[in-house]
Amino acid sequence: MSASIPQNPTSHNIALLLPKLYDADADFRYMALNDLQQILNIGHSTFLQHDFATCAKTVDGLLKVLDDTNGEVQNMAVKCIGPFVGKVPESVLGPMIDKISNLQVGNAVDNSVPALALRAIVVSLPRPLPSVPRSRAVQEAYSAISKVLIPRLVGYNVIPIGRKDLPKPPKGLLQVDMENGSDSNAIDVLTEVGRCFGPMLQALEVQALEKITSEIIENDRSGSVLRKKAVTAISVLATYFSDELLSSFISQLIEKLRSPHLTPAKRKLYINILGSMARSIPRKFGPYLKTLCPFVLSATSADELDAAMADSENDEEERDPQIDEAREAALTALEAFLSSCGPDMIAYTQDSIDAALLFLKYDPNYNEEEDEEEEEDDEGDLLNEDEDFEEEGGFDDEDDISWKVRRCAAKVVYTLITMHGSDDLLQSGILYDQIAPALVARFTEREENVRLEILWSLTALIRRTGEASPLGLSASNGYSNEGLMGPPPSRKRRRGGSDVSMLDSQAQLSSMSGYDSPPRPPAPTFGPQASLANLSPDIIRGITKLLKNSPQPTKQACLTLLKELVVAERGGLSEYMDQVADPIEEAMVSSVSATGASAATANNLRTEALQLVAVIAESHSSNDLQNYLAKIVPALATVVKDRFSKVAVAALNAAEQCVQALTPPRSAAGTGIVQLEQLYEMIFERITAQETDTEVKSRAIHALGLLLGRTSGAQGAKLLHRQKRFAGLELLYSRMQNELTRLASVRAVDTVAALAKDTTEFKPEWVTNVAMELCAQLRKSSRSLRGASLASLRTIIANSATRANLSEKTTKDIVVLLLPLLTSNDLHLLGPALNILGTLVKNNAANIVDDDVVRAICFVTTITLSASVENALLAFVRSVGEQGSGNTLMQAFLKDVGVGGNPDLTGKVIGTLLVYGGSSVGVKLDAFINELSTAKDDQRRCLALSVLGEFGLQMGASSPLQPDLFTKYFSEKSDKVPLAAAVALGRAGAGNINNYIPSILGTMNSSNQYLLLHSVRESLQHSETESDIIPYAEQLWQKIVAASESEENRAIGAECVGRLTIIDPRVYLPQLEKISTDGEPEFRGTVIAALRYVFTDTDQSFDAYLKPTIIPMLTVMLNDPSLENRRHALTAFTSAAHHKPDLILPHLPTLLPLAIKETIVRPDLVREIMMGPFKHKVDDGLELRKSAYETLYGLMDTAFPRLSPELPKLYDRVIAGITDEHDIRLLSILMFTKLLTLAPEEESYRRLDPIAESFRTVLSQKPKENSVKQDIERMQEQSKGVIRATVIVGKELPIADGSGVDARAWRDYLEWVKKDFQAQLKSAEDELRDKDHS
C-alpha cells in the first residue's frame, strides 16, 4: 500500500485524487486509479454514504478513464468500479448504471469496456441470499437493476413505470450487438443479472431476458462466441423460468428441431441448450426428456451416420465440419442427461450406449486396414499411425474434428459407468458384454485426449467391479494403527474377553496387518469378476503395447488401469510379468533429471508406477515375483533417493511390499537374499542420511521395522545377518530419541516386537533400553505418541521372545512407571496399561502385586470405566487370582473400597477374584450370602448381590446359587436393592441359562416385569449364552413384547427385543419389520429403539440378514407420524450409518432428504405457555431438530462424498442452524467449520454473506439483566465458537479476508469483528495456531 494512503481514508482523500484522472500523462492516470482502488478497498463501508458531491465527481472521473486511449488505464478503471459501488449511497447506483450503459467509447480500441464495467457493478452489488431476509440495500440494488439496467439491455421498459412524460430507453445494448454482429460483452451482463438477482426477477423480466437471448441465438448475424454465451445465459435464466415459460420455451425448441430446414449449426445450438438446461435445472427438465431425448439421439443414430458417409463418398467436396460439431453437441448433451437426470434417462440407457459405442470408433479419415497390419506386427509404433495416414490420404489433421466426437463418446461411456454402473448394468453383464470390449478395441486410438478418456473409462469400470466384489485388496500401504486383536468369530460383538489372552497367541501376532501370505482367490465362474477375468488378457496385451511408445500421460493412465486391475482381481499378472516388468521399471526411473513442468509429469508417472509395484508385490505369490523383483529392487534403490518426497515415499511403500514378498511365510528361506540385502541397505541409508526429508525418514523407519520383523525366526535368520539385525535395532532405538522420528520409531518397534520369534535375536540391554524409553514417552504431551508407546510396550511384554529379555528389576521399573496411568483417569491409556500388568502378573505375581499396585487397582474400581477397560481390569484380577496372589487385593477391596466404590464394578472384581483365587483370597462364598441377609444398609446388600451375580456367571452350571436367592429381594422397599438383585439374577443366569430362564419366564406375568426385563437383558448381552437361549427365544419374545406395553418397561424392553433379534435374526427381523409398519405408535417406538442395539452390537456377518429390510424400515420410521418416533429413527439412522456403512451409504439419496427435512423449524410445533405472569414459548420440535443435526454431523464424518447431491440444501440448513437454539447453534458452527474444509470453495464463497448475517446475529446478543450464570456462559460459548469459525473462514477462503469483491456483507462483518471483538479474535487465532503446530 502506498505510504500516501491513510489507514482510515475519508472522502477528502478521494477528492484529492480525482484531478489526476484528467492528467495528460497516462502513468499519472493509472497511478491515481491504483490509489483510488486501494482507498476503496480499505475504506469503511460508510465513508462515502453522505458525500454525494464526491460520489458524483468520482462517477464522472471513472466515465472519463473508461473511455481512455490507454488499455491499462481502462482495465484499472474497471477494477475500481466494484469496490466503488460497495461504498456509495444506493441512490447513486441508478444514475451511475445509466451513464455507463450509455457511454460511447470513441477513444478506446476495445468497445467492450462499458459492458465490463456494468458486469463489475452487478457482481459487486448486495444480492438476495437463500434463507436470509432481503435487506434494504438488496432491495435498492434490485431496483437499480430493474429500472435502469434491464431496460438498457433489452431496449424497452419491461416493468411499466406509470409515467408517460419520460423518454423511452435508447436501443438496447444486446439489440446493437445483434444489428452489428458484434459482441460487446453485454450478454455477460445479462448472465450476471440472472445469476445474482434471479430470485428477485419478476416474471415479465425473466420473460424479457429469455426473449432477447433467444433472438440472439436465432439471429444470423450473431457470431459463434456470442451464441455460446447466449446458451450459458439461457441455462442461468432457466432456474427462474415459471412452469409456463419453461413449457413454452421447450415447445419452441421442439418445433425448431422438427423443422425440415434445420441446419447442422442450428441443430448443434439447440442441442447445446438442452444439455446446459439439463445441468442447471435437472429436476424440472427431467420430465421433458421423454420428448426431447429422441431429437438428441437422432443426431447420433447409425442411419444418419451411414447416410452422411454415403454422401461424403459420392461428393468430392470435403465433409461439413458442422455435422461433426452437431454430433459432438449431441453426445455432450447425452452426457449431461445421464449425469443430471439419471432416473428420467433409464428408458434411453441402451440407446445412449449404442450411440456412444457407435461414435467411439468414428474416424472417417482413418484406414481400417492398418488395424490388421498392426495385429500382425506387434512391434509397430502405435503413435505413428497418424503420420502414415497423412502420407496416404493427404488429409490435414488440423481440419479433422472427428476426434472431438470420439472424445465426447468416451465421456458418455464414462458417465454410464460411474453414474449408472450400479447393479443393474454391472450385474446384468451389459457393461462387459457391450462396453468393455469396445473400449479395449479402441486402445489403438491415435488422438491422445481420446485415448486418455478411453483408459479412464475402462479404469472406472474395473474399479466398480472391484468395489462390487466381496474380495478386496488393501493398496493403501500406509501405517497400520490397528491393534493386535482380530474381529470376534461371531456376528455379535463380544462384551467379554480381554486383549491379554489374545496377545499371547503367536498366530495372532504373526498375522498382524496382513503379514501372512495373501490367499489366491478362486477363479470366478459368473458375474462381473468372471467377465473381467475373461477380458484381462486382451486388456493387458493392449496396455503392454501402449506402455512401450506412448506419451507420459498415456503411460500414467495405463499404470493406473493396471493397478485397479490387480486390485480388482487380487492378482492377475502372473502370466504377464515378463511383458510388464520392463515398462514399469522404465516408468519408475523415467526423466529423473526433468525440471519444470515435465518434472511434475515425470513425478506423477513414477509415483503411479511405484504404487503399481506395491500392489503387484502385495497380491502375487513370491514364486511369480522372483525374477520380477530381481529387476525392480535395484530400480527402487535408485528411486528412493529422489529429492521429491512423494516419489521417495511411494518407493518405500513399494519396498515394504517387496520385503513381505521376499520373507517367510510368503517366501521360502534362502530365496531373495540378494534383494533383501539391497532393500536393507537402501532403507538404512535413507534413515541415516542427514538430507533425508522427515516424511521419507519416517516411512523408511517403518519399512526397517517391517524388514526386521519379517526376518525373525529360524527361516528369517538366513535372510539377514545377525550383525545387520543388531545394527538396525540400534538405529531404531537411536531414532526413538529424536523428536522428529520418535513416533515412527515407536511404531516400528511395535512391528518388530509383534513378529519376534527368537529370544536370541535381541540383546537384553536393547530390550531394556527400549522398554524404559517407551515408559519415558508416556510422560510426553503428545497423545498419539503416548498411545503408540503404550501399545508398543504392550506388544513387547505380550510376546515371550521379547519379554524373556526383561530382568525382574526392569519389570518392576516398568510397573512403577505404569502406575501413574492407572490414576490419571485417561481411559485411552488405562486399558492397555492394565493389559500389560495382567501379562506381567502371569509370570511373576509376587514381584508385581505390591501395596502401590493394590492401591492403584482400588482407585480404578472407584471410577466409571468403558466396557473394554472393565474387561481389562477383570482380566488382570483373574490373573492375580490364578497366581494365588489375591489375598492382599481382596482385603483391599473389602476394606479400602467396599461400599465406597461403584457397587456393580466392585462386585464384578470381587466375584472374579473369589472364583479364580479360590482359597488363597481368604474369603468364601458363604460370607457374601451371609452379608446379603444380615446387612442393614442398601450399599452393602447391593455390593453382595453384585458379587454373587458375578460368581454365578463365572462358575456357570457349577454354581450352587439358585434364582430364589435373588428374586426374594425384588420386594425390598429400597430404590437400589431390587434393581441390583435383578441385574445379579440375570448375570448369574447367563452362566446357567437352563436353570434360571425358566424361573424368570414363570414369574414374568407378575408385578416385577420391569425388574425381570433387566434380568433378561443382562442374560442376553453375553454372547456365550446364544445357543442356550434359542430354545426359550419364542417364550421370551412373547413375554418381552407383552411387558413392553407398559411405558416404564418400553426402554428396557426395546433393548431386550434388539438383543433377542441378534440371537435369532431369521425369526425376529421380519417381526420387527411388520411391527414397524402395522403396530401402534408405542410399539413402533420400541422397534426403532431395538434396531439401534442391532446396529451397534453386531458385526459384518450380520449384514446379510439386515440388507433386505434395513432401508425400507428406516424409510418408514423416518416418516413416522410420531415426533418421538422420528427422533428415535434419526438416532437409529446415525447408528446404522456409523456401524453399517456398506448397507446405508448407497441409499443416502433416499434417506438424506428425510433427515434434512427435520432441521426446518415448524411454527405449528411452537406453542406459548403461561409461567406465572410471563409467557414462555415451548418448541415441541426442538429435540427432533437437534437429532436431525446430529445425524447430518455424523454423516459428514463418515460419508461426505456421497452428500454431494444434497450439499446445497445441507449447507443452507447448517447456516440456518447457526441462529437456532443453543445446542443446535454450537453443532451448526462445528458443521460449518467442517464444510469449509470438505465442501467445494464455490459453495462456501456463495454463502459468505448469509453466514456473516448469522454470525452477526449471534455476536449481537446481549445477556439480560436477570440472566443467570448458565445463560451468560452459554452466550460466551456461542460467541467463542463464532469467532473461531470466523478465523477459520479467513484461513480456508483467502478471498474472504476483505480483499474480495463478491462478499460485501462479509467484509462489513469482518471489519465489525476486528473492531469490537479484537481480544477474542486474537485469542482464537492463537489457539488455532497452537493447534496447527502441535
Side-chain angles (χ1 to χ4, degrees):
M1 187 173 67
S2 174
S4 62
I5 299 176
Q7 291 291 335
N8 296 304
T10 64
S11 60
H12 177 69
N13 299 111
I14 290 184
L16 294 177
L17 288 174
L18 295 180
K20 299 180 182 179
L21 299 181
Y22 299 89
D23 196 282
D25 192 332
D27 291 337
F28 274 63
R29 299 195 300 273
Y30 180 86
M31 294 307 298
L33 286 169
N34 184 60
D35 291 346
L36 177 62
Q37 183 193 24
Q38 294 186 48
I39 289 176
L40 292 171
N41 279 329
I42 67 174
H44 192 271
S45 58
T46 60
F47 84 113
L48 286 177
Q49 287 291 320
H50 305 291
D51 195 339
F52 291 91
T54 302
C55 290
K57 292 179 181 179
T58 305
V59 171
D60 293 337
L62 289 174
L63 289 171
K64 172 67 172 60
V65 290
L66 284 173
D67 191 21
D68 203 284
T69 57
N70 187 291
E72 293 183 358
V73 173
Q74 285 182 307
N75 292 335
M76 183 56 69
V78 172
K79 291 180 181 179
C80 291
I81 293 288
F84 177 67
V85 299
K87 301 295 192 296
V88 301
E90 288 81 1
S91 58
V92 176
L93 292 176
M96 181 179 177
I97 293 174
D98 183 63
K99 289 183 178 181
I100 294 179
S101 62
N102 286 293
L103 179 64
Q104 299 296 324
V105 284
N107 299 322
V109 177
D110 187 0
N111 66 346
S112 66
V113 171
L116 293 175
L118 290 173
R119 183 183 180 279
I121 292 175
V122 174
V123 299
S124 301
L125 290 173
R127 66 189 66 174
L129 299 164
S131 305
V132 177
R134 288 162 188 169
S135 63
R136 178 177 173 275
V138 173
Q139 296 286 358
E140 292 289 345
Y142 166 69
S143 178
I145 296 293
S146 177
K147 294 179 181 179
V148 182
L149 184 55
I150 292 178
R152 284 296 293 118
L153 289 172
V154 301
Y156 59 92
N157 289 317
V158 178
I159 305 298
I161 57 178
R163 292 181 58 183
K164 299 182 179 180
D165 57 329
L166 296 178
K168 294 183 179 180
K171 186 174 292 186
L173 298 174
L174 293 171
Q175 292 174 324
V176 173
D177 282 350
M178 283 192 290
E179 290 180 0
N180 299 335
S182 60
D183 179 15
S184 67
N185 287 334
I187 189 66
D188 294 334
V189 180
L190 184 150
T191 303
E192 292 302 332
V193 168
R195 184 175 287 123
C196 299
F197 291 91
M200 297 183 72
L201 292 177
Q202 300 180 47
L204 289 176
E205 292 172 328
V206 175
Q207 188 173 353
L209 295 177
E210 179 272 327
K211 179 182 177 183
I212 191 69
T213 308
S214 298
E215 289 175 359
I216 292 174
I217 293 173
E218 294 297 325
N219 193 292
D220 293 334
R221 302 190 65 180
S222 299
S224 59
V225 176
L226 182 59
R227 288 179 174 176
K228 288 181 180 178
K229 292 181 178 181
V231 171
T232 303
I234 285 290
S235 67
V236 172
L237 292 172
T239 308
Y240 310 104
F241 282 5
S242 64
D243 292 341
E244 295 78 9
L245 180 58
L246 178 61
S247 178
S248 172
F249 181 80
I250 291 179
S251 298
Q252 294 175 22
L253 278 180
I254 292 173
E255 292 301 321
K256 293 170 184 175
L257 287 168
R258 285 175 175 166
S259 172
H261 305 293
L262 182 67
T263 64
K266 286 294 181 67
R267 188 185 203 182
K268 164 196 167 185
L269 206 57
Y270 299 147
I271 292 176
N272 279 335
I273 293 174
L274 296 178
S276 63
M277 292 182 71
R279 288 189 173 93
S280 62
I281 51 170
R283 294 184 180 179
K284 294 172 65 176
F285 186 80
Y288 291 98
L289 284 177
K290 184 177 181 180
T291 305
L292 293 172
C293 197
F295 291 104
V296 178
L297 289 170
S298 66
T300 60
S301 65
D303 293 340
E304 188 168 316
L305 176 62
D306 293 340
M309 295 298 290
D311 291 342
S312 64
E313 291 178 359
N314 298 329
D315 193 351
E316 297 181 357
E317 296 182 2
E318 295 182 1
R319 297 190 325 274
D320 185 358
Q322 291 185 350
I323 296 177
D324 283 345
E325 290 179 0
R327 291 166 179 159
E328 179 190 358
L331 291 167
T332 303
L334 276 181
E335 180 194 0
F337 296 166
L338 290 167
S339 60
S340 303
C341 310
D344 300 288
M345 282 294 291
I346 292 176
Y348 298 102
T349 300
Q350 185 59 51
D351 294 329
S352 301
I353 293 174
D354 294 340
L357 297 184
L358 175 65
F359 285 95
L360 189 66
K361 56 185 179 181
Y362 172 67
D363 198 353
N365 300 312
Y366 180 62
N367 187 0
E368 294 183 359
E369 294 179 357
E370 292 184 4
D371 282 343
E372 299 176 2
E373 297 174 4
E374 186 179 325
E375 291 293 332
E376 298 173 0
D377 185 9
D378 289 341
E379 301 299 324
D381 187 350
L382 294 173
L383 299 179
N384 290 334
E385 292 173 1
D386 43 355
E387 295 178 7
D388 297 339
F389 167 74
E390 290 178 9
E391 292 174 3
E392 294 174 10
F395 186 84
D396 187 1
D397 275 352
E398 293 182 0
D399 298 330
D400 180 19
I401 63 169
S402 64
W403 66 270
K404 295 182 179 180
V405 179
R406 298 195 301 276
R407 183 182 63 180
C408 290
K411 289 183 177 181
V412 173
V413 170
Y414 182 85
T415 302
L416 283 164
I417 292 170
T418 55
M419 303 296 292
H420 297 260
S422 54
D423 291 345
D424 50 354
L425 293 182
L426 188 62
Q427 298 297 338
S428 64
I430 293 177
L431 292 181
Y432 275 102
D433 292 342
Q434 301 182 33
I435 292 180
L439 291 174
V440 175
R442 292 305 301 169
F443 280 178
T444 57
E445 169 63 47
R446 57 197 178 93
E447 179 62 37
E448 175 77 358
N449 291 333
V450 183
R451 187 164 55 244
L452 289 175
E453 291 288 347
I454 291 169
L455 292 170
W456 292 336
S457 298
L458 187 57
T459 301
L461 175 57
I462 295 172
R463 185 183 296 116
R464 181 61 62 92
T465 305
E467 292 171 353
S469 170
L471 301 175
L473 180 66
S474 171
S476 62
N477 300 316
Y479 292 137
S480 175
N481 295 325
E482 301 292 332
L484 300 185
M485 291 183 63
S490 168
R491 63 171 175 264
K492 187 174 182 180
R493 289 195 175 93
R494 294 185 179 273
R495 291 178 178 267
S498 170
D499 295 350
V500 175
S501 61
M502 300 188 77
L503 282 169
D504 281 337
S505 170
Q506 193 66 32
Q508 288 286 340
L509 293 171
S510 64
S511 64
M512 186 188 77
S513 301
Y515 292 157
D516 283 343
S517 184
R520 182 181 292 275
T525 57
F526 63 91
Q529 281 284 332
S531 301
L532 177 60
N534 294 333
L535 191 63
S536 290
D538 295 335
I539 294 175
I540 297 171
R541 191 180 304 112
I543 290 297
T544 304
K545 294 178 181 178
L546 288 176
L547 284 173
K548 292 180 180 179
N549 300 302
S550 300
Q552 286 191 351
T554 296
K555 288 184 178 180
Q556 183 176 340
C558 290
L559 295 174
T560 304
L561 190 150
L562 280 180
K563 182 178 68 174
E564 295 296 340
L565 181 65
V566 173
V567 171
E569 291 193 319
R570 298 195 67 177
L573 294 184
S574 302
E575 301 176 3
Y576 307 96
M577 288 293 182
D578 293 339
Q579 301 177 37
V580 300
D582 291 337
I584 294 176
E585 180 186 0
E586 180 184 350
M588 287 169 54
V589 298
S590 64
S591 303
V592 175
S593 60
T595 58
S598 60
T601 304
N603 289 336
N604 292 334
L605 177 64
R606 284 183 287 165
T607 301
E608 200 64 46
L610 291 165
Q611 291 176 356
L612 174 59
V613 169
V615 172
I616 291 174
E618 182 183 5
S619 58
H620 290 76
S621 69
S622 296
N623 292 333
D624 295 332
L625 295 172
Q626 285 299 328
N627 296 330
Y628 168 72
L629 291 179
K631 296 180 180 180
I632 293 299
V633 170
L636 284 177
T638 301
V639 181
V640 79
K641 299 178 183 179
D642 196 276
R643 61 190 181 91
F644 293 100
S645 60
K646 182 179 178 181
V647 175
V649 168
L652 288 166
N653 288 338
E656 288 187 18
Q657 297 302 330
C658 293
V659 167
Q660 295 189 50
L662 291 168
T663 51
R666 287 184 59 183
S667 177
T671 59
I673 297 178
V674 175
Q675 287 77 35
L676 269 179
E677 289 182 351
Q678 291 176 332
L679 291 169
Y680 175 87
E681 297 296 339
M682 171 186 77
I683 295 169
F684 197 94
E685 189 275 333
R686 283 291 83 196
I687 299 174
T688 55
Q690 295 294 327
E691 72 278 4
T692 304
D693 182 83
T694 301
E695 182 184 4
V696 176
K697 192 171 291 187
S698 298
R699 191 72 239 183
I701 290 171
H702 186 271
L704 178 61
L706 178 64
L707 191 151
L708 295 176
R710 293 281 292 188
T711 54
S712 178
Q715 290 184 323
K718 302 176 183 178
L719 300 175
L720 186 65
H721 193 274
R722 183 61 59 91
Q723 294 302 319
K724 289 187 176 181
R725 171 176 296 280
F726 287 156
L729 293 174
E730 289 297 332
L731 181 59
L732 288 181
Y733 174 61
S734 67
R735 291 292 93 192
M736 284 179 64
Q737 298 169 305
N738 184 284
E739 184 176 359
L740 297 178
T741 57
R742 186 172 288 155
L743 181 59
S745 302
V746 167
R747 288 172 172 164
V749 168
D750 190 9
T751 302
V752 172
L755 299 175
K757 299 176 181 177
D758 189 352
T759 303
T760 61
E761 293 175 349
F762 302 93
K763 294 179 180 179
E765 57 271 21
W766 183 87
V767 178
T768 300
N769 292 336
V770 167
M772 299 311 296
E773 182 65 27
L774 291 172
C775 290
Q777 309 292 1
L778 298 177
R779 299 192 298 270
K780 301 295 183 181
S781 60
S782 172
R783 186 174 180 83
S784 58
L785 177 60
R786 294 201 308 272
S789 299
L790 193 60
S792 182
L793 183 63
R794 179 179 62 177
T795 306
I796 289 175
I797 292 174
N799 194 338
S800 58
T802 50
R803 185 175 64 242
N805 287 286
L806 295 174
S807 63
E808 288 191 8
K809 180 180 180 304
T810 303
T811 302
K812 186 65 177 178
D813 292 341
I814 291 173
V815 172
V816 172
L817 293 172
L818 287 177
L819 290 182
L821 300 181
L822 303 185
T823 58
S824 64
N825 285 336
D826 190 343
L827 299 182
H828 175 67
L829 303 179
L830 180 55
L834 288 169
N835 288 332
I836 293 173
L837 291 177
T839 305
L840 293 176
V841 162
K842 291 182 179 180
N843 295 278
N844 191 354
N847 189 38
I848 301 300
V849 185
D850 56 13
D851 293 341
D852 293 333
V853 172
V854 170
R855 279 194 296 271
I857 295 298
C858 289
F859 171 80
V860 173
T861 59
T862 63
I863 61 178
T864 303
L865 304 178
S866 62
S868 61
V869 178
E870 182 180 303
N871 292 334
L873 174 62
L874 294 177
F876 169 79
V877 172
R878 174 176 176 172
S879 299
V880 171
E882 290 174 341
Q883 298 303 315
S885 302
N887 186 279
T888 305
L889 192 57
M890 177 65 82
Q891 296 304 317
F893 285 148
L894 296 175
K895 295 179 181 179
D896 299 337
V897 180
V899 295
N902 180 351
D904 187 63
L905 177 60
T906 307
K908 288 182 179 180
V909 172
I910 294 175
T912 301
L913 192 57
L914 184 64
V915 171
Y916 294 100
S919 59
S920 66
V921 298
V923 182
K924 296 184 178 180
L925 177 66
D926 294 340
F928 294 99
I929 298 177
N930 183 59
E931 177 78 6
L932 177 61
S933 60
T934 59
K936 301 299 182 181
D937 60 290
D938 293 349
Q939 286 291 102
R940 292 182 182 277
R941 287 193 290 178
C942 289
L943 178 59
L945 285 166
S946 181
V947 172
L948 295 174
E950 188 67 22
F951 181 89
L953 173 65
Q954 300 291 347
M955 291 296 294
S958 303
S959 172
L961 303 177
Q962 297 300 315
D964 59 354
L965 174 65
F966 304 99
T967 55
K968 65 183 180 181
Y969 291 97
F970 282 9
S971 58
E972 287 287 327
K973 295 180 179 180
S974 169
D975 294 335
K976 299 179 180 179
V977 173
L979 186 58
V983 173
L985 173 65
R987 194 171 294 158
N992 192 355
I993 292 293
N994 295 325
N995 186 24
Y996 278 75
I997 290 298
S999 176
I1000 293 174
L1001 288 171
T1003 57
M1004 188 71 96
N1005 296 326
S1006 66
S1007 59
N1008 296 322
Q1009 284 181 341
Y1010 177 76
L1011 297 173
L1012 291 171
L1013 285 174
H1014 277 275
S1015 300
V1016 172
R1017 187 271 307 271
E1018 193 67 29
S1019 296
L1020 293 178
Q1021 70 180 8
H1022 293 275
S1023 58
E1024 295 83 358
T1025 66
E1026 289 184 5
S1027 58
D1028 295 332
I1029 285 287
I1030 293 294
Y1032 306 99
E1034 182 60 30
Q1035 298 179 61
L1036 282 171
W1037 178 269
Q1038 295 176 1
K1039 297 286 188 181
I1040 293 169
V1041 172
S1044 298
E1045 294 181 5
S1046 173
E1047 185 175 356
E1048 68 172 359
N1049 297 339
R1050 205 161 289 147
I1052 185 66
E1055 184 173 355
C1056 293
V1057 167
R1059 299 199 182 285
L1060 202 55
T1061 303
I1062 295 173
I1063 292 175
D1064 198 353
R1066 290 187 181 88
V1067 175
Y1068 299 115
L1069 267 178
Q1071 296 194 35
L1072 287 183
E1073 186 176 15
K1074 181 179 179 181
I1075 296 174
S1076 69
T1077 56
D1078 301 335
E1080 296 296 323
E1082 295 77 11
F1083 284 154
R1084 295 200 302 270
T1086 301
V1087 169
I1088 296 170
L1091 280 176
R1092 296 209 313 268
Y1093 297 101
V1094 174
F1095 298 149
T1096 303
D1097 291 343
T1098 56
D1099 60 18
Q1100 290 184 353
S1101 62
F1102 196 85
D1103 292 358
Y1105 302 105
L1106 283 173
K1107 187 173 182 179
T1109 61
I1110 184 172
I1111 301 304
M1113 290 179 71
L1114 281 175
T1115 304
V1116 169
M1117 293 186 301
L1118 289 170
N1119 286 296
D1120 196 286
S1122 169
L1123 291 178
E1124 188 66 14
N1125 285 351
R1126 291 210 304 277
R1127 185 176 71 83
H1128 288 309
L1130 286 168
T1131 307
F1133 179 22
T1134 306
S1135 177
H1138 179 72
H1139 295 287
K1140 307 293 179 185
D1142 294 339
L1143 301 180
I1144 296 297
L1145 299 188
H1147 301 278
L1148 274 184
T1150 301
L1151 300 175
L1152 184 61
L1154 300 176
I1156 293 177
K1157 179 184 66 176
E1158 302 297 350
T1159 63
I1160 300 174
V1161 179
R1162 289 178 53 184
D1164 57 306
L1165 296 178
V1166 180
R1167 53 191 172 88
E1168 285 188 349
I1169 61 173
M1170 297 298 298
M1171 298 183 66
F1174 303 104
K1175 290 183 178 180
H1176 181 66
K1177 286 187 176 182
V1178 176
D1179 187 351
D1180 293 330
L1182 176 60
E1183 293 300 321
L1184 179 60
R1185 287 204 311 280
K1186 189 187 303 183
S1187 296
Y1189 275 104
E1190 289 171 351
T1191 298
L1192 297 177
Y1193 182 76
L1195 290 174
M1196 286 174 61
D1197 279 337
T1198 58
F1200 187 82
R1202 295 180 181 262
L1203 304 182
S1204 299
E1206 300 291 336
L1207 184 57
K1209 290 184 180 179
L1210 173 62
Y1211 219 138
D1212 291 340
R1213 297 314 307 156
V1214 169
I1215 296 173
I1218 295 175
T1219 55
D1220 209 315
E1221 296 295 330
H1222 172 75
D1223 292 337
I1224 296 177
R1225 181 175 297 170
L1226 294 179
L1227 191 58
S1228 297
I1229 293 172
L1230 287 176
M1231 295 171 69
F1232 169 66
T1233 56
K1234 280 184 175 292
L1235 286 171
L1236 285 175
T1237 57
L1238 297 175
E1241 287 188 352
E1242 55 269 18
E1243 290 287 345
S1244 300
Y1245 282 135
R1246 285 204 298 267
R1247 290 169 173 80
L1248 279 178
D1249 284 351
I1251 291 166
E1253 296 297 330
S1254 299
F1255 281 4
R1256 188 188 290 269
T1257 301
V1258 175
L1259 294 177
S1260 298
Q1261 292 181 351
K1262 303 296 181 184
K1264 299 178 181 178
E1265 293 182 359
N1266 58 349
S1267 296
V1268 297
K1269 181 181 179 182
Q1270 186 179 12
D1271 293 336
I1272 297 175
E1273 290 177 348
R1274 282 185 171 187
M1275 287 190 178
Q1276 291 175 348
E1277 186 179 14
Q1278 295 169 8
S1279 298
K1280 183 178 179 181
V1282 168
I1283 294 293
R1284 185 174 182 274
T1286 302
V1287 176
I1288 296 176
V1289 171
K1291 178 182 177 183
E1292 298 294 336
L1293 305 176
I1295 198 173
D1297 62 0
S1299 61
V1301 296
D1302 289 345
R1304 180 178 180 181
W1306 177 264
R1307 298 198 305 271
D1308 295 343
Y1309 160 76
L1310 201 58
E1311 291 177 2
W1312 175 65
V1313 169
K1314 290 179 179 178
K1315 179 180 178 182
D1316 294 355
F1317 298 88
Q1318 186 175 2
Q1320 296 94 317
L1321 195 64
K1322 185 178 185 305
S1323 176
E1325 291 173 346
D1326 294 341
E1327 179 185 345
L1328 289 173
R1329 190 181 304 111
D1330 294 341
K1331 183 179 179 180
D1332 291 339
H1333 293 323
S1334 62

